[in-house]
Amino acid sequence: MVCFCCQNVVDGDLCEMFNSMDVAKQKSVAEELDRTPAEVSKKLEDIRTRYAF
């Protein structure tokens, strides 16, 4: 279970961990966001390249 106590905040540690999580955990996180794991992964990659460099 993922608990979000605030909205519109990016947890950098979670972003970095997402692709290394097991598939079931990725699916659980993605479902909380009403997205597929592939959509979440793509969005995280977009955020990383847009804002991290």
Side-chain angles (χ1 to χ4, degrees):
M1 180 179 156
V2 175
C3 177
F4 296 103
C5 48
C6 54
Q7 295 180 352
N8 300 319
V9 175
V10 176
D11 181 335
D13 292 334
L14 179 59
C15 292
E16 293 301 318
M17 290 176 24
F18 185 79
N19 288 325
S20 62
M21 290 178 178
D22 63 75
V23 175
K25 190 66 170 175
Q26 285 183 0
K27 186 174 180 180
S28 175
V29 171
E31 285 176 354
E32 290 284 330
L33 300 170
D34 294 324
R35 300 288 185 261
T36 66
E39 290 172 322
V40 174
S41 183
K42 173 72 170 125
K43 187 65 167 181
L44 291 172
E45 190 64 33
D46 291 347
I47 290 169
R48 181 183 296 120
T49 57
R50 183 172 299 175
Y51 298 107
F53 302 107

Coordinates of all heavy atoms in Angstrom, one line a residue:
M1 N 0.8 -1.2 0.0 CA 0.0 0.0 0.0 C 0.9 1.2 0.0 O 1.8 1.3 0.8 CB -0.9 0.0 1.2 CG -1.8 1.2 1.3 SD -2.8 1.1 2.8 CE -3.2 2.7 3.0
V2 N 0.5 2.2 -0.8 CA 1.3 3.4 -0.9 C 0.4 4.5 -0.3 O -0.8 4.6 -0.6 CB 1.6 3.8 -2.4 CG1 2.2 5.2 -2.5 CG2 2.5 2.7 -3.0
C3 N 0.9 5.2 0.6 CA 0.2 6.3 1.3 C 0.8 7.7 0.9 O 2.0 7.9 1.0 CB 0.3 6.1 2.8 SG -0.5 7.4 3.7
F4 N -0.1 8.5 0.3 CA 0.4 9.8 -0.1 C -0.3 10.8 0.8 O -1.5 10.9 0.8 CB 0.0 10.1 -1.6 CG 0.7 9.2 -2.6 CD1 0.1 8.2 -3.2 CD2 2.0 9.5 -2.9 CE1 0.7 7.4 -4.0 CE2 2.7 8.6 -3.7 CZ 2.0 7.6 -4.3
C5 N 0.5 11.5 1.6 CA -0.1 12.5 2.5 C -0.2 13.9 2.0 O -0.7 14.8 2.6 CB 0.6 12.4 3.9 SG 2.4 12.5 3.7
C6 N 0.4 14.1 0.8 CA 0.2 15.4 0.1 C 0.2 15.1 -1.4 O 0.5 14.0 -1.9 CB 1.4 16.3 0.5 SG 3.0 15.6 0.2
Q7 N -0.3 16.1 -2.1 CA -0.4 15.9 -3.6 C 0.5 16.9 -4.3 O 1.0 17.9 -3.7 CB -1.8 16.2 -4.0 CG -2.8 15.2 -3.4 CD -4.3 15.5 -3.8 OE1 -4.5 16.6 -4.4 NE2 -5.1 14.6 -3.5
N8 N 0.8 16.5 -5.6 CA 1.6 17.3 -6.4 C 3.1 17.5 -5.9 O 3.7 18.6 -6.1 CB 1.0 18.7 -6.7 CG -0.3 18.6 -7.3 OD1 -0.5 17.8 -8.2 ND2 -1.3 19.4 -6.8
V9 N 3.6 16.5 -5.3 CA 4.9 16.5 -4.8 C 5.6 15.2 -5.4 O 5.1 14.2 -5.4 CB 5.0 16.4 -3.2 CG1 6.4 16.2 -2.7 CG2 4.3 17.6 -2.6
V10 N 6.8 15.4 -5.9 CA 7.6 14.3 -6.5 C 8.6 13.8 -5.4 O 9.4 14.6 -4.9 CB 8.3 14.8 -7.7 CG1 9.2 13.7 -8.3 CG2 7.3 15.3 -8.8
D11 N 8.5 12.5 -5.1 CA 9.4 11.9 -4.2 C 10.6 11.3 -5.1 O 10.4 10.3 -5.7 CB 8.7 10.7 -3.5 CG 9.6 10.0 -2.5 OD1 10.9 10.0 -2.7 OD2 9.1 9.5 -1.5
G12 N 11.7 12.0 -5.0 CA 12.8 11.7 -5.8 C 13.3 10.2 -5.6 O 13.7 9.5 -6.5
D13 N 13.3 9.8 -4.3 CA 13.8 8.5 -4.0 C 12.8 7.4 -4.6 O 13.3 6.4 -5.2 CB 13.8 8.2 -2.5 CG 14.9 9.1 -1.8 OD1 15.9 9.4 -2.5 OD2 14.7 9.4 -0.6
L14 N 11.5 7.6 -4.6 CA 10.6 6.7 -5.2 C 10.8 6.7 -6.7 O 10.8 5.6 -7.3 CB 9.2 7.1 -4.8 CG 8.1 6.2 -5.5 CD1 8.2 4.7 -5.0 CD2 6.7 6.7 -5.1
C15 N 11.0 7.9 -7.3 CA 11.2 7.9 -8.7 C 12.4 7.1 -9.1 O 12.4 6.3 -10.1 CB 11.5 9.4 -9.2 SG 10.0 10.4 -9.0
E16 N 13.5 7.2 -8.4 CA 14.7 6.4 -8.7 C 14.5 4.9 -8.4 O 15.2 4.1 -9.1 CB 15.9 6.9 -7.9 CG 16.3 8.4 -8.3 CD 16.7 8.5 -9.7 OE1 17.4 7.6 -10.3 OE2 16.3 9.5 -10.3
M17 N 13.7 4.6 -7.5 CA 13.5 3.2 -7.2 C 12.4 2.5 -8.1 O 12.4 1.2 -8.1 CB 12.9 3.0 -5.7 CG 13.9 3.4 -4.7 SD 13.3 3.4 -3.0 CE 11.9 2.3 -3.0
F18 N 11.6 3.2 -8.7 CA 10.4 2.6 -9.4 C 10.8 1.5 -10.3 O 10.2 0.4 -10.3 CB 9.6 3.7 -10.1 CG 8.4 3.1 -10.7 CD1 7.2 2.9 -10.0 CD2 8.3 2.8 -12.1 CE1 6.1 2.4 -10.5 CE2 7.1 2.3 -12.7 CZ 6.0 2.1 -11.9
N19 N 11.8 1.7 -11.2 CA 12.1 0.7 -12.2 C 12.8 -0.5 -11.6 O 12.9 -1.6 -12.3 CB 13.0 1.3 -13.3 CG 12.2 2.2 -14.2 OD1 11.0 2.0 -14.5 ND2 12.8 3.3 -14.7
S20 N 13.3 -0.4 -10.4 CA 14.0 -1.6 -9.8 C 13.0 -2.3 -8.8 O 13.4 -3.3 -8.3 CB 15.2 -1.1 -9.0 OG 14.9 -0.2 -8.0
M21 N 11.8 -1.8 -8.7 CA 10.8 -2.5 -7.8 C 10.4 -3.7 -8.6 O 10.4 -3.8 -9.8 CB 9.6 -1.6 -7.6 CG 9.8 -0.4 -6.7 SD 8.2 0.5 -6.7 CE 8.7 1.8 -5.6
D22 N 9.9 -4.7 -7.8 CA 9.3 -5.9 -8.4 C 8.0 -5.5 -9.1 O 7.4 -4.5 -8.9 CB 9.1 -7.0 -7.4 CG 8.0 -6.7 -6.4 OD1 6.8 -6.7 -6.7 OD2 8.5 -6.4 -5.2
V23 N 7.6 -6.3 -10.1 CA 6.5 -6.0 -11.0 C 5.2 -5.7 -10.2 O 4.5 -4.8 -10.5 CB 6.3 -7.1 -12.1 CG1 5.1 -6.8 -12.9 CG2 7.6 -7.2 -12.9
A24 N 5.0 -6.5 -9.2 CA 3.7 -6.4 -8.4 C 3.7 -5.0 -7.7 O 2.7 -4.4 -7.7 CB 3.6 -7.5 -7.4
K25 N 4.8 -4.6 -7.2 CA 4.9 -3.3 -6.5 C 4.7 -2.1 -7.5 O 4.1 -1.2 -7.2 CB 6.2 -3.2 -5.7 CG 6.3 -2.0 -4.8 CD 5.3 -2.1 -3.7 CE 5.5 -1.0 -2.7 NZ 4.5 -1.1 -1.6
Q26 N 5.4 -2.3 -8.7 CA 5.2 -1.2 -9.7 C 3.7 -1.1 -10.1 O 3.2 0.0 -10.2 CB 6.0 -1.6 -11.0 CG 7.5 -1.4 -10.9 CD 8.2 -1.7 -12.2 OE1 7.6 -2.1 -13.1 NE2 9.5 -1.5 -12.1
K27 N 3.1 -2.3 -10.3 CA 1.6 -2.3 -10.6 C 0.8 -1.6 -9.5 O -0.1 -0.8 -9.8 CB 1.2 -3.7 -10.9 CG -0.2 -3.8 -11.4 CD -0.6 -5.2 -11.7 CE -2.1 -5.2 -12.3 NZ -2.5 -6.5 -12.7
S28 N 1.1 -1.9 -8.3 CA 0.4 -1.3 -7.2 C 0.5 0.2 -7.1 O -0.4 1.0 -7.0 CB 0.9 -1.9 -5.8 OG 0.4 -1.2 -4.7
V29 N 1.8 0.7 -7.3 CA 2.0 2.2 -7.4 C 1.3 2.8 -8.6 O 0.6 3.8 -8.4 CB 3.5 2.5 -7.4 CG1 3.7 4.0 -7.7 CG2 4.2 2.0 -6.1
A30 N 1.4 2.2 -9.7 CA 0.7 2.7 -10.9 C -0.8 2.7 -10.8 O -1.4 3.7 -11.2 CB 1.1 1.8 -12.1
E31 N -1.4 1.7 -10.2 CA -2.8 1.7 -10.0 C -3.3 2.8 -9.1 O -4.3 3.4 -9.3 CB -3.2 0.3 -9.4 CG -3.2 -0.8 -10.4 CD -3.6 -2.2 -9.8 OE1 -3.7 -2.3 -8.5 OE2 -3.7 -3.1 -10.5
E32 N -2.5 3.1 -8.1 CA -2.8 4.3 -7.2 C -2.8 5.6 -8.0 O -3.5 6.5 -7.6 CB -1.8 4.4 -6.1 CG -1.9 3.3 -5.0 CD -3.0 3.5 -4.1 OE1 -3.5 4.6 -3.8 OE2 -3.5 2.4 -3.6
L33 N -2.1 5.6 -9.1 CA -2.0 6.8 -9.9 C -2.9 6.7 -11.2 O -2.9 7.6 -12.0 CB -0.6 7.0 -10.4 CG 0.5 7.2 -9.3 CD1 1.9 7.2 -9.9 CD2 0.2 8.5 -8.6
D34 N -3.7 5.6 -11.2 CA -4.6 5.4 -12.4 C -3.8 5.3 -13.7 O -4.3 5.9 -14.7 CB -5.8 6.4 -12.4 CG -6.7 6.3 -11.3 OD1 -7.0 5.1 -10.8 OD2 -7.2 7.3 -10.8
R35 N -2.7 4.7 -13.7 CA -1.8 4.6 -14.8 C -1.3 3.1 -14.9 O -1.4 2.4 -14.0 CB -0.6 5.5 -14.7 CG -1.0 7.0 -14.7 CD -1.5 7.5 -16.0 NE -1.7 8.9 -16.0 CZ -2.9 9.5 -15.8 NH1 -4.0 8.8 -15.6 NH2 -3.0 10.8 -15.8
T36 N -0.7 2.8 -16.0 CA 0.0 1.5 -16.2 C 1.5 1.7 -15.7 O 2.0 2.9 -15.7 CB 0.0 1.0 -17.6 OG1 0.8 1.9 -18.4 CG2 -1.4 0.9 -18.2
P37 N 2.2 0.7 -15.3 CA 3.6 0.8 -15.0 C 4.4 1.4 -16.1 O 5.3 2.2 -15.8 CB 4.0 -0.6 -14.7 CG 2.7 -1.3 -14.2 CD 1.6 -0.7 -15.0
A38 N 4.1 1.1 -17.3 CA 4.8 1.7 -18.5 C 4.6 3.2 -18.5 O 5.6 3.9 -18.8 CB 4.4 1.0 -19.8
E39 N 3.4 3.6 -18.3 CA 3.1 5.1 -18.3 C 3.9 5.8 -17.2 O 4.4 6.9 -17.4 CB 1.6 5.3 -18.2 CG 0.8 4.9 -19.4 CD -0.7 5.0 -19.2 OE1 -1.1 4.7 -18.0 OE2 -1.4 5.4 -20.1
V40 N 3.9 5.2 -16.0 CA 4.6 5.8 -14.9 C 6.1 5.9 -15.2 O 6.8 6.9 -15.0 CB 4.4 5.0 -13.6 CG1 5.2 5.6 -12.5 CG2 2.9 5.1 -13.2
S41 N 6.7 4.8 -15.7 CA 8.1 4.7 -16.0 C 8.4 5.8 -17.1 O 9.5 6.5 -16.9 CB 8.4 3.3 -16.5 OG 9.8 3.2 -16.8
K42 N 7.6 5.9 -18.1 CA 7.9 6.9 -19.2 C 7.8 8.3 -18.6 O 8.7 9.1 -18.9 CB 6.8 6.7 -20.3 CG 6.9 7.8 -21.3 CD 8.1 7.7 -22.2 CE 7.9 8.6 -23.4 NZ 9.0 9.5 -23.5
K43 N 6.8 8.6 -17.7 CA 6.7 9.9 -17.2 C 7.9 10.2 -16.3 O 8.5 11.3 -16.3 CB 5.4 10.0 -16.4 CG 5.1 11.4 -15.9 CD 4.9 12.3 -17.0 CE 4.3 13.6 -16.5 NZ 4.0 14.5 -17.6
L44 N 8.4 9.2 -15.5 CA 9.5 9.4 -14.6 C 10.8 9.7 -15.5 O 11.6 10.6 -15.1 CB 9.7 8.2 -13.7 CG 8.7 8.0 -12.7 CD1 8.9 6.7 -11.9 CD2 8.7 9.2 -11.7
E45 N 10.9 9.0 -16.6 CA 12.1 9.2 -17.5 C 12.0 10.6 -18.1 O 13.0 11.3 -18.1 CB 12.1 8.2 -18.6 CG 13.3 8.2 -19.4 CD 14.6 7.9 -18.6 OE1 14.5 7.0 -17.7 OE2 15.7 8.4 -18.9
D46 N 10.8 11.1 -18.5 CA 10.6 12.4 -19.0 C 11.0 13.5 -18.0 O 11.7 14.5 -18.3 CB 9.2 12.6 -19.4 CG 8.8 11.8 -20.7 OD1 9.7 11.3 -21.4 OD2 7.6 11.7 -21.0
I47 N 10.5 13.3 -16.7 CA 10.8 14.2 -15.7 C 12.3 14.3 -15.4 O 12.9 15.3 -15.3 CB 10.1 13.9 -14.4 CG1 8.6 14.1 -14.5 CG2 10.6 14.6 -13.2 CD1 7.7 13.5 -13.4
R48 N 12.9 13.1 -15.4 CA 14.4 13.0 -15.1 C 15.2 13.8 -16.2 O 16.1 14.6 -15.8 CB 14.9 11.6 -15.0 CG 16.3 11.5 -14.7 CD 16.8 10.1 -14.7 NE 16.2 9.3 -13.7 CZ 15.5 8.2 -13.9 NH1 15.3 7.7 -15.1 NH2 15.0 7.5 -12.9
T49 N 14.9 13.6 -17.4 CA 15.6 14.2 -18.5 C 15.3 15.7 -18.6 O 16.2 16.5 -18.9 CB 15.4 13.5 -19.8 OG1 14.0 13.5 -20.1 CG2 16.0 12.1 -19.8
R50 N 14.1 16.1 -18.3 CA 13.7 17.5 -18.4 C 14.2 18.3 -17.2 O 14.7 19.5 -17.5 CB 12.2 17.6 -18.4 CG 11.7 19.0 -18.6 CD 10.2 19.1 -18.8 NE 9.9 18.3 -20.0 CZ 8.7 18.1 -20.5 NH1 7.7 18.5 -19.8 NH2 8.5 17.4 -21.6
Y51 N 14.2 17.8 -16.0 CA 14.5 18.7 -14.9 C 15.8 18.3 -14.2 O 16.4 19.1 -13.4 CB 13.4 18.6 -13.8 CG 12.1 19.1 -14.4 CD1 11.1 18.3 -14.7 CD2 11.9 20.5 -14.6 CE1 9.9 18.7 -15.3 CE2 10.8 21.0 -15.2 CZ 9.7 20.1 -15.5 OH 8.6 20.6 -16.0
A52 N 16.4 17.1 -14.4 CA 17.6 16.7 -13.6 C 18.9 17.2 -14.3 O 19.9 17.3 -13.6 CB 17.6 15.2 -13.5
F53 N 18.8 17.5 -15.6 CA 20.1 17.8 -16.2 C 20.1 19.2 -16.8 O 19.4 19.9 -17.2 CB 20.4 16.8 -17.4 CG 20.4 15.4 -16.9 CD1 19.4 14.5 -17.1 CD2 21.5 15.0 -16.1 CE1 19.5 13.2 -16.7 CE2 21.6 13.7 -15.7 CZ 20.6 12.8 -15.9

